[in-house]
Amino acid sequence: PQPWRHVCGFRSRSSSAVMAEEAKKLAAYAAVDNHIQNNQVVGVGSGSTIVYAVDRLAERVRQEKLNIVCVPTSFQARQLILKHGLSLSDLDRHPELDVAIDGADEVDASLTLIKGGGGCLTQEKIVAGCAKHFIVIADYRKDSKALGQQWKKGVPVEVIPIAYVPVSRAIARRFGGEAVLRMAVSKAGPVVTDNSNFILDWKFEHAQNWKEVNTAIKMIPGVVETGLFVGMAERVYFGMEDGSVKIR
Ligand code: 5RP
């Protein structure tokens, strides 16, 4: 039997969900084992895949008595760090990180990423930008030849709340598609980020020069950050359906 069918706690879920969870874990464990060493400052990303990375990091810190300092990218990451009793810091005290590890919503052939499915893109980009090495962990569903082939929800863009309508119109006018305000699951109101901003999900119509698009969107007044990570990821670990890990 394949090991992922026996992962504790996931047995009642569909087999594809089980496989994806085990694939996240495989990627996360491999990245932590390959890139974390003693005396490092580590950026901790956000999402569901990073949970496995922090599990493994905490295990290694305990077993190998590593001296690791963690800088979070979100409230969620901060809670994870605290829950595991890891050493919590910030960019004031540690503006230079040795490595940042984070998930992604989609990764193309040249390691351009869409991030921000969880709405933490701004802190994630800041922390990744402060790290010597930015390592991405993902399951096989995030692997894509060209952005938009896998992740159908578009590129997240964090905006200052009063600007969401003009920014949405400016993006659609300039680049096509539609930039839609992200609503809370309850539909009672918009999603509000850790920075008290809103998120637009820009559903683009065709492939673009992502570097230029990223820069141009950032120039629109009211835009805080985009979920396009261009030229930032050094390595991506994909956990695969067959239990292997693919490194790009
Ligand atoms: C949050 C992110 C996440 O890293 C991204 O959404 C991937 O999440 P998951 O690991 O749950 O698939 O960018 O803003």
Side-chain angles (χ1 to χ4, degrees), residues 24 45-50 102-105 114-121 124 137 139 141-142 151:
K24 291 178 193 183
S46 309
S48 56
T49 315
I50 199 68
D102 204 346
D105 299 304
I114 293 178
K115 283 186 53 55
C120 316
L121 54 128
E124 291 171 340
I137 51 179
D139 65 74
R141 300 171 303 176
K142 314 293 182 66
W151 178 251

Side-chain angles (χ1 to χ4, degrees), residues 194-212:
D194 285 358
N195 311 312
S196 304
N197 294 320
F198 291 171
I199 300 277
L200 293 172
D201 287 301
W202 171 43
K203 298 180 189 1
F204 52 88
E205 285 168 340
H206 52 83
Q208 317 239 5
N209 178 329
W210 298 118
K211 191 169 181 215
E212 283 177 21

Side-chain angles (χ1 to χ4, degrees), residues 25-240:
K25 184 173 174 180
L26 286 168
Y29 273 52
V32 169
D33 287 351
N34 285 351
H35 295 277
I36 302 297
Q37 292 161 18
N38 199 15
N39 296 321
Q40 282 183 329
V41 181
V42 178
V44 175
S46 309
S48 56
T49 315
I50 199 68
V51 173
Y52 296 109
V54 179
D55 284 348
R56 180 60 181 152
L57 181 62
E59 190 174 71
R60 286 195 56 205
V61 165
R62 250 189 341 266
Q63 286 172 354
E64 300 169 40
K65 305 208 181 326
L66 300 180
N67 171 34
I68 298 290
V69 170
C70 296
V71 175
T73 57
S74 61
F75 183 79
Q76 178 220 359
R78 186 176 181 277
Q79 298 303 98
L80 275 178
I81 293 163
L82 291 174
K83 177 181 135 196
H84 284 280
L86 292 162
S87 169
L88 175 70
S89 188
D90 51 46
L91 294 176
D92 294 359
R93 285 170 286 183
H94 292 96
E96 283 181 33
L97 284 68
D98 295 294
V99 57
I101 301 183
D102 204 346
D105 299 304
E106 190 171 9
V107 181
D108 79 5
S110 57
L111 302 193
T112 297
L113 318 175
I114 293 178
K115 283 186 53 55
C120 316
L121 54 128
T122 301
Q123 300 96 299
E124 291 171 340
K125 203 182 265 191
I126 293 168
V127 168
C130 293
K132 290 184 197 129
H133 306 284
F134 176 41
I135 307 301
V136 175
I137 51 179
D139 65 74
Y140 52 91
R141 300 171 303 176
K142 314 293 182 66
D143 187 3
S144 168
K145 283 200 174 63
L147 294 188
Q149 288 184 356
Q150 300 286 359
W151 178 251
K152 303 295 180 196
K153 295 184 184 166
V155 174
V157 179
E158 183 162 352
V159 293
I160 300 291
I162 60 160
Y164 87 87
V165 172
V167 171
S168 164
R169 288 160 60 97
I171 292 174
R173 197 166 51 238
R174 177 108 187 248
F175 303 107
E178 196 187 7
V180 180
L181 183 65
R182 189 182 295 180
M183 298 299 285
V185 179
S186 65
K187 303 265 188 267
V191 165
V192 177
T193 70
D194 285 358
N195 311 312
S196 304
N197 294 320
F198 291 171
I199 300 277
L200 293 172
D201 287 301
W202 171 43
K203 298 180 189 1
F204 52 88
E205 285 168 340
H206 52 83
Q208 317 239 5
N209 178 329
W210 298 118
K211 191 169 181 215
E212 283 177 21
V213 168
N214 178 50
T215 308
I217 292 179
K218 283 198 68 167
M219 293 303 293
I220 300 170
V223 170
V224 177
E225 191 50 270
T226 87
L228 287 166
F229 285 51
V230 187
M232 296 186 79
E234 177 178 308
R235 198 141 297 167
V236 181
Y237 285 72
F238 293 106
M240 304 304 289

Side-chain angles (χ1 to χ4, degrees), residues 2-4 22-23 26 140 238-246:
Q2 291 167 317
W4 56 69
E22 186 61 17
L26 286 168
Y140 52 91
F238 293 106
M240 304 304 289
E241 283 167 286
D242 65 1
S244 66
V245 176
K246 183 165 99 181

